[in-house]
Amino acid sequence: MEQTFLARAASQISTMVDRFLRLGEEDQTAEEADRIRAIRLSVLSSSTPWMMAANLCNATLTIFVFQGSPSAPAVYAICGLLLAIIFYTSLSWWRNRKRGQRERASLRGTNRTVVYAAILSALWAAIDIVAYPSANETQRMVLIALTVGMAGGGGFALATIPPASIVFCGMIAFGAAIALLRDGSIVGAYLFALYIVFAAIIIRSSLALCKSLTERVRAKLAADEQRDVIGLLLNDFEENASDWLWGVDSDLNLERASARFYDKLQIPENMVLGRPLMTIMPFSSVSLEGHDCRENFANCLMSRQSFRDQDLCVEVGGELGIWSVTAKAIYDEQERFKGYRGVGRDVTANRESRLRIEHMARHDPLTEVGNRVLLSEDFERAVSRYERFGDAFSVLLLDLDRFKQVNDNFGHTAGDELLRTVASILSQLRGENDTLARVGGDEFAILHACVDDPRSAATLASRIIERFAHPITLGCGSAQIGVSIGIACAPIDGTEPDQLMRNADLALYRAKTDGRNRYRFFDSSLDAAARRRSLLEQELALAIAEESLTVHFQPLVSAETRQVVCAEALLRWNHPKLGAISPSEFIPIAEEAGQITAIGSWVLRQACRHAATWPDNVRVAVNLSSRQFLSPGLLPLIETAITENGLRSQRLEVEVTESLLMETAIGVEQTLESISRLGVRIALDDFGTGFSSLSYLRRYHFDKLKIDQSFISDLETNPDGRAIVDAVIRLAGELRMSVAAEGVETREQLERLRQMGCGEIQGFLTGRPMPVDAFEEYLKQTNGSVQRLSA
């Protein structure tokens, strides 16, 4: 147990000694510490002669002062040892003075220095101990001066080795302490305290000096290492790099160059060295981007100024290439031109790569026509030409009609092939100076230069529409598409690119609204309509949030009993500033803005809430938009609206249009079946206006058909219209569906429909759409029967 304790104590002491000897070497790697330690020992060695001279003078002074003193024999003996050490140290320094500085030094060098400092300081401390008690005033003053002087001089001389500096000052302090305490006077105590403060300052200063020296040494080592690395890299660069270094004198004669330069020239070094650089460079007669390379390079050299990336078109061995040259002008202290030092490189491959990258950045990867970047750049050029020369131009924005059907029917591969074919056709139809760009999925833009006749844009649009009126042959079959075109002309419709593109987009929207497969020019009314559309979209969002929309109800009556059997919920919007806004205007806006689902949900809840207070024989009908019909939340919404308001499900009708069935066939059948299972009635609205009504009747189950008002308006005068209405009514009867006629305005229309067997009538004859209060009052006044129909 005792041996273990001793071993642990010895280990801790060894660790403390090692840490003490490594003072000043914190945050250094082992290799770095060895190199810095060698420099610190070298600095100490360079100051050895001055240290020995100081010790020699102090020892001689001590011998002289203590002649005849009681302590003289002991002082002489100690001074003799000091003189022996001084002599030996000086002799060793003299023998080793011409040796070069070591690159590394181990910790043994620090150990020897510490031991040497301990011996030397111990001898000076011994003089204080043996001489101070019996010394007179003069001798004591000399001893105090020697003690302080040796502590200060030795501490700073040994500052590069902090452990040695601390040991030296500490040993002398120890001797001074013994000498002063033996005196026993209060003055001795004060002197000792002052010495302790002085020694602490010396030690702190020595540590600071050591740190400063270490930082300078580390910086120098880093700089030397960096210089070596740069030298190696430069040598490797000259030997292996594809670039080359070159230099010319003040007369522009070749002074030096890398071997790579001569390899590029395919000429030996001795044939070109010392010759003018302009006669050495193998300039080609081909100009680069319209510039004379020889002249540009000569101007750069003659300017006596630094230059960068000067491209030269050269011809070596019958092959053309591009060299890029960079140079720094060299001037002496008197600002006299001394030549150039530069670097050159062969950028032929880089230039080709850069051109490919620039092409990719400005062209659509699928169709290889321009993209928005190229269109924007050419737009700027067109605007610049207009401002300088008055050259008019126009932009045609094209959108492919029925492109989505091609993707859905044949797949995206066929869609990509169609886009490439369309781009090829447009490239052939556009003018030589026109820019063609793909700006969206199936949108293209043509920047058309129409210097001679601005109406040429219309001619170009007509040719494009005519060409796409014919089927396009694809690998998977034939595709029949069309194209809608919006046209904006500069300067009539603006000169700013963004403004022209916006105006062309508005004209394109008008072309699509007017039936597609046609072109339209921009006019100011489109801008006004767009502004109103934007305003209505913002105001509609606010109206939805504040629930300031209203629901009106239009009655449907039985043709036989004249009783109100249903009421259709119709949305109305009366804006406080804009006034009444037609549903035909704000409903399409709500559909495009994605607001229609929220509106439809609100209308459904309101309709069910009000209908719950009506007579039990009066149903309520609510229209469903395409977005709302396909929403996953539709069924829970219907079920919640019925349950919360206590409305029988049979009293709710939902109306869907043929356009919804035609455009969104996926999932329609399941949704209709789910609604029927809830007990809710389903009506097919606007029957007869679609393209495949009979197939829908066979595929889906409906409870009611609503004949569109376009068939009712000329019922009395158009025999064909009457035949169609009569056929629809009989067809519905065979399919066990009720029939409602929309837009009934006269008694004659009512009577004919009743004779044909039409079950329900809706129109101004039975009642206009009215607010809920007015409708409920209407029900009370008629007692469920509309008497005036038979008046």
Side-chain angles (χ1 to χ4, degrees), residues 13 34 39 80 101 139 173 187 190 286 291 322 349 368 404 459 469 488 585 663 671 676 714 717-718 727 735:
I13 292 172
D34 290 346
I39 296 174
Q101 178 183 325
Q139 291 170 340
V187 176
Y190 286 154
V286 178
H291 302 292
I322 301 175
E368 286 298 320
K404 185 177 182 298
T459 304
E585 183 178 13
E663 295 178 4
T671 303
S676 293
D714 60 351
T717 58
N718 189 338
L735 295 176

Side-chain angles (χ1 to χ4, degrees), residues 159-174:
T160 57
I161 310 296
S165 178
I166 294 173
V167 167
F168 191 88
C169 292
M171 189 63 74
I172 292 180
F174 179 73

Side-chain angles (χ1 to χ4, degrees), residues 391-559:
D391 294 346
F393 63 94
S394 57
V395 58
L396 288 75
L397 197 58
L398 299 80
D399 182 79
L400 301 183
D401 300 331
R402 295 183 295 279
F403 174 75
K404 185 177 182 298
Q405 283 87 326
V406 176
N407 265 341
D408 293 342
N409 295 333
F410 300 108
H412 291 283
T413 302
D416 291 345
E417 182 185 359
L418 175 61
L419 290 174
R420 286 191 292 268
T421 304
V422 168
S424 176
I425 295 172
L426 293 176
S427 298
Q428 298 171 13
L429 294 176
R430 67 181 174 93
E432 182 179 353
N433 298 322
D434 295 349
T435 299
L436 171 63
R438 182 185 175 206
V439 295
D442 61 341
E443 283 191 0
F444 293 82
I446 298 177
L447 189 61
H448 178 58
C450 45
V451 179
D452 299 330
D453 186 1
R455 290 174 298 180
S456 63
T459 304
L460 175 60
S462 297
R463 291 169 54 205
I464 293 173
I465 292 173
E466 181 181 358
R467 173 62 183 83
F468 285 104
H470 304 287
I472 296 178
T473 303
L474 304 175
C476 57
S478 179
Q480 181 70 57
I481 64 170
V483 60
S484 301
I485 304 175
I487 306 173
C489 300
I492 302 172
D493 302 326
T495 55
E496 292 297 323
D498 290 343
Q499 182 184 14
L500 287 169
M501 286 295 290
R502 176 180 176 275
N503 291 342
D505 189 51
L506 292 174
L508 173 62
Y509 182 82
R510 172 61 62 85
K512 293 163 68 175
T513 303
D514 289 348
R516 301 178 181 269
N517 203 37
R518 65 198 65 207
Y519 70 86
R520 289 290 183 267
F521 280 93
F522 171 80
D523 61 59
S524 57
S525 64
L526 296 180
D527 187 48
R531 293 179 185 277
R532 177 174 172 81
R533 188 179 189 85
S534 177
L535 174 63
L536 290 182
E537 182 177 335
Q538 297 174 17
E539 293 296 319
L540 183 58
L542 183 62
I544 295 172
E546 296 178 349
E547 295 190 356
S548 59
L549 300 173
T550 58
V551 179
H552 286 200
F553 296 91
Q554 185 175 23
L556 284 82
V557 302
S558 169

Side-chain angles (χ1 to χ4, degrees), residues 604-672:
L604 179 64
R605 291 193 301 270
Q606 293 294 312
C608 291
R609 183 171 65 87
H610 293 305
T613 63
W614 301 343
D616 196 54
N617 64 320
V618 180
R619 303 185 305 273
V620 64
V622 180
N623 292 281
L624 296 181
S625 68
S626 300
R627 285 179 179 269
Q628 188 178 16
F629 184 80
L630 295 177
S631 170
L634 176 63
L635 294 177
L637 173 67
I638 294 176
E639 192 170 8
T640 301
I642 293 173
T643 304
E644 288 183 350
N645 294 288
L647 184 72
R648 288 191 303 107
S649 58
Q650 293 79 6
R651 293 184 58 201
L652 174 63
E653 281 186 6
V654 293
E655 297 184 0
V656 297
T657 61
E658 291 184 81
S659 60
L660 180 149
L661 303 177
M662 180 177 64
E663 295 178 4
T664 57
I666 300 176
V668 169
E669 186 170 3
Q670 294 179 351
T671 303
L672 291 175

